[in-house]
Amino acid sequence: MSAVQVSIIIPTYNRATYIGEALTSIINQTYTHWECLVIDDGSTDNTKNIIDSFHTKDHRIRYIKRPNNYPKGSNGSRNYGLSLAQGQYIAFCDDDDYWLHDKLEKQIPIFQQHPEVGLVTGNIEYVNSDGMRTGRVIKQTGNHGYVFEEILLKNRLSMITPVIKREVFDKVGLFNTNFVIFEDWEYWRRVAYYYPFYALQDVLACVRKHDSNTSLIVTQKPSEQFVRYRKLTKALLKWGENRFTKADIMLIDKVEIKRYLQIMQNHCPNMKDKVGFIGHISINNITLGLKLFSSFIKSKL
């Protein structure tokens, strides 16, 4: 087997229907120096049998059961995969999505050309439940350079697209297992604090839309958006306790208020809704509520 350069980690749970297509896309990569660690989070269907059949064809694919001392969920599985990974670079694929055949071939050379970069990403395209491409492309080309402030405001990457230097995890830490929703966004914020990103303009991977997508449990209710974003901010500030400067904290605070103003603009159509949203935040954090109220008055929304 060729020397491992890229460790591909796929967390899986009861995905017998789709995991084969994900693994086929890995095997079909034109870049061949990889290992693929499929971390099973306790499947009760025949997911293991399917992965074992791929291992028989290509021993670079390994089935691994998540041990009980690692938390359940995708991030627990990703962290366990990282503990076993041998590659200089790390990539992730979700068990219901798939890569285009030249994904790694396009991404890996960027690290040699731009050694300062910590993460190389690209565009995604949505596919339907049958895996047929829809033509709906989500561009991630804005994720280029130092994008910490931009990533604070909005999640601009898909988990299945980036390839990441192994050293990034040593510096930034592992995935936060307290997150099920926005677990990727929480991590990209930390990476962006230290490293510039590089965004290719190519579609590199396909994201499947189906009835079991985790994203379907996310609602757009302003109060729930506030809770999710506040959790992100608290986690970031905790991580940054011995890292952030006063200017960093002021930036995080500024962007948080900007985010809430956007929520008000997009999801609070009348003054009653806007006042109610500010009131909801004030009940949870009076200082934050007052800052938002002051910014709201100045913004003339």
Side-chain angles (χ1 to χ4, degrees), residues 256-280:
E256 183 171 16
I257 296 300
K258 185 176 179 180
R259 174 76 177 191
Y260 298 150
L261 287 172
Q262 283 189 348
I263 292 172
M264 291 173 67
Q265 184 174 18
N266 296 331
H267 301 282
C268 299
N270 54 56
M271 186 59 66
K272 180 181 178 181
D273 293 332
K274 290 179 172 64
V275 171
F277 181 62
I278 295 173
H280 176 79

Side-chain angles (χ1 to χ4, degrees), residues 208-273:
R208 192 185 307 266
K209 306 297 286 185
H210 56 83
D211 293 340
S212 301
N213 284 130
T214 304
S215 59
L216 293 177
I217 68 176
V218 178
T219 75
Q220 296 300 312
K221 291 181 179 179
S223 59
E224 293 184 17
Q225 290 193 63
F226 161 70
V227 170
R228 293 194 297 268
Y229 193 89
R230 185 94 270 264
K231 183 178 180 181
L232 282 169
T233 301
K234 287 180 177 179
L236 182 63
L237 291 173
K238 182 178 180 180
W239 173 81
E241 282 178 354
N242 298 314
R243 309 170 193 256
F244 290 155
T245 65
K246 184 177 180 180
D248 294 330
I249 295 172
M250 290 176 64
L251 174 64
I252 293 166
D253 183 71
K254 181 191 78 171
V255 175
E256 183 171 16
I257 296 300
K258 185 176 179 180
R259 174 76 177 191
Y260 298 150
L261 287 172
Q262 283 189 348
I263 292 172
M264 291 173 67
Q265 184 174 18
N266 296 331
H267 301 282
C268 299
N270 54 56
M271 186 59 66
K272 180 181 178 181
D273 293 332

Side-chain angles (χ1 to χ4, degrees), residues 8 14 16 31 33 44 60 68 73 84 94 96 108 112 118 171 179 207 227 240 247 283 289 297:
I8 304 161
N14 284 350
Y31 179 94
H33 304 304
T44 56
R60 291 175 297 175
N68 292 331
L84 304 175
D94 289 344
D96 53 350
I108 296 304
Q112 281 75 52
K171 191 174 186 69
F179 282 79
V207 175
V227 170
I283 290 172
I297 296 300

Side-chain angles (χ1 to χ4, degrees), residues 125-165:
E125 182 177 343
Y126 284 123
V127 299
N128 63 24
S129 59
D130 295 325
M132 299 296 293
R133 296 172 69 171
T134 64
R136 183 187 173 196
V137 173
I138 305 300
K139 294 184 178 181
Q140 300 186 6
T141 49
N143 301 312
H144 198 78
Y146 285 97
V147 293
F148 180 61
E149 182 171 352
E150 291 82 358
I151 290 288
L152 285 176
L153 185 64
K154 182 180 179 181
N155 187 9
R156 300 150 62 90
L157 285 82
S158 171
M159 179 62 80
I160 70 166
T161 314
V163 174
I164 309 163
K165 281 182 181 175

Side-chain angles (χ1 to χ4, degrees), residues 34-164:
W34 54 263
E35 65 174 351
C36 181
L37 310 177
V38 187
I39 313 299
D40 193 344
D41 198 27
S43 296
T44 56
D45 62 2
N46 66 329
T47 292
K48 181 181 184 301
N49 294 336
I50 293 172
I51 298 166
D52 285 343
S53 71
F54 275 87
H55 173 74
T56 300
K57 303 173 193 174
D58 192 325
H59 279 52
R60 291 175 297 175
I61 292 175
R62 295 167 55 197
Y63 172 87
I64 302 165
K65 188 174 181 180
R66 176 192 53 77
N68 292 331
N69 61 327
Y70 275 79
K72 293 181 180 180
S74 294
N75 273 354
S77 294
R78 291 184 184 111
N79 288 343
Y80 184 55
L82 284 164
S83 74
L84 304 175
Q86 300 178 46
Q88 181 182 356
Y89 305 102
I90 306 293
F92 300 95
C93 185
D94 289 344
D95 56 3
D96 53 350
D97 301 327
Y98 62 87
W99 289 356
L100 299 191
H101 71 280
D102 56 355
K103 178 182 185 292
L104 294 179
E105 182 183 357
K106 290 179 176 178
Q107 289 177 289
I108 296 304
I110 299 300
F111 291 106
Q112 281 75 52
Q113 298 163 14
H114 301 276
E116 75 282 2
V117 165
L119 177 157
V120 178
T121 187
N123 298 335
I124 62 170
E125 182 177 343
Y126 284 123
V127 299
N128 63 24
S129 59
D130 295 325
M132 299 296 293
R133 296 172 69 171
T134 64
R136 183 187 173 196
V137 173
I138 305 300
K139 294 184 178 181
Q140 300 186 6
T141 49
N143 301 312
H144 198 78
Y146 285 97
V147 293
F148 180 61
E149 182 171 352
E150 291 82 358
I151 290 288
L152 285 176
L153 185 64
K154 182 180 179 181
N155 187 9
R156 300 150 62 90
L157 285 82
S158 171
M159 179 62 80
I160 70 166
T161 314
V163 174
I164 309 163

